[in-house]
Amino acid sequence: MNVGPEAGSLRSVSEKLKVVILRDLLPAGRRSLEEHFEVTVLGLEANRQQMLSGVAGADGLVTDLTFAVDGELLDAAGPQLKVVANFGVGYDNVDLDACVERDVIVTNTPDVLTNATAELALALAMAAARDLPGAERDLREGRWGGWDPGQWRGFELSDATIGVVGAGRIGGRFLELVSGFGGERLYTARASKPDLEARLDARWVELDELLTESDLISLHAPGGPETHHMIDERAIGLLKPTAVLVNTGRGTLVDSEALARALDEGRIGAAGLDVFEGEPEVPQPLLEAPRVALAPHIGSATYRARDAMSRTVAANVIAVLSGANPPNRVV
Ligand code: NAP
């Protein structure tokens, strides 16, 4: 294995196919790639220029959501490139049309991170509903003067109406996790899900009705142009003043400034956010807003999920480069 941005320019001395890991891949999957291929890891610090030169001659690329895979990168790799394996289920960082035009297969890592991400959404929901970050900040900074019946009051989620936007794998698991909370369960998706409805007593509604009726709204739709700012000023205006909004989908789903204004002005109850527009920057208004629980995009960050994602990436690359159908083909 070659490590570091410079290593990408080394030529293969073996007959092995070449796989370039644009950033890094946990050992669980990287080791199996190393058994089959000449593997180059460009590293978390590599810049775009180093990546463009480092991918030359690659048969397979491993990437993640932080890096835009576009025509320029595919061309820099060369016409022998067969697969782009994304470490993650969301693939809004990959230009699918550019991949299809060049006969490059794109894969992702669904299912293995579903539970981890749904659990994080629940953790953020509960932390936001009770303003745990604000209460902890007060405690640490010496503002706890003793037990006070009126201080730090929040919202209970039991018997609340809970709405999931994008009830796919993760949204569905989130609904399952909260099914013991009682109350009503609403969801939106592009298509209704009779199975989910029967299993979890959930009801499909239009987005506006979900936003108007729900006490807790959890966003699990993918990023991309279709869902950009689906929660904008108008949508936020539909929310109850006590509503808790959680986003573990993509930062682009929510207009950050509109959300921060609503929190500032007490027009919504609280927010729990794992994803942000323009990551890794976090919009300043959200950092300054009250009653918001923030996490640095850690939805899938459990030992179990991240190792499984790593193995899934490897399985996809190995399948494509050995001429088989990959288990998780996107296009
Ligand atoms: P999924 O199974 O494909 O679910 C996505 C859901 O969104 C589906 O129900 C889909 O509807 C719905 N949807 C798509 N476009 C929509 C639109 N325009 N309006 C309303 N709903 C729409 O994907 P998943 O595995 O649950 O993952 C969902 C997303 O979570 C990923 O794309 C990724 O961005 C995010 N994610 C974040 C983290 C994190 O670390 N925070 C971790 C993993 C995933 P249909 O069912 O009708 O197709």
Side-chain angles (χ1 to χ4, degrees), residues 65 88-92 108-111 113-114 116-118 120 165-172 187-193 204 207 219-223 226-227 230 247-250 253 274-275 279 297-301 306 309:
L65 64 104
V89 65
Y91 44 79
D92 46 323
N108 67 346
T109 64
D111 301 318
L113 44 49
T114 292
T117 310
L120 197 268
V165 177
R169 288 170 292 244
I170 299 170
Y187 76 96
T188 62
R190 290 170 300 188
S192 67
K193 321 259 172 212
W204 186 92
L207 178 63
L219 307 180
H220 299 281
E226 264 187 49
T227 57
M230 70 194 300
N247 187 11
T248 59
R250 278 288 181 267
L253 300 178
D274 183 44
V275 286
E279 292 177 17
H297 204 145
I298 55 170
S300 66
R306 287 281 168 88
M309 289 164 71

Side-chain angles (χ1 to χ4, degrees), residues 17-31:
L17 295 174
K18 181 172 170 177
V19 172
V20 175
I21 297 171
L22 283 170
R23 301 186 75 245
D24 204 357
L25 187 66
L26 292 171
R30 198 185 63 219
R31 285 200 203 100

Side-chain angles (χ1 to χ4, degrees), residues 249-261:
R250 278 288 181 267
T252 51
L253 300 178
V254 178
D255 178 340
S256 316
E257 292 195 0
L259 174 60
R261 271 197 303 279

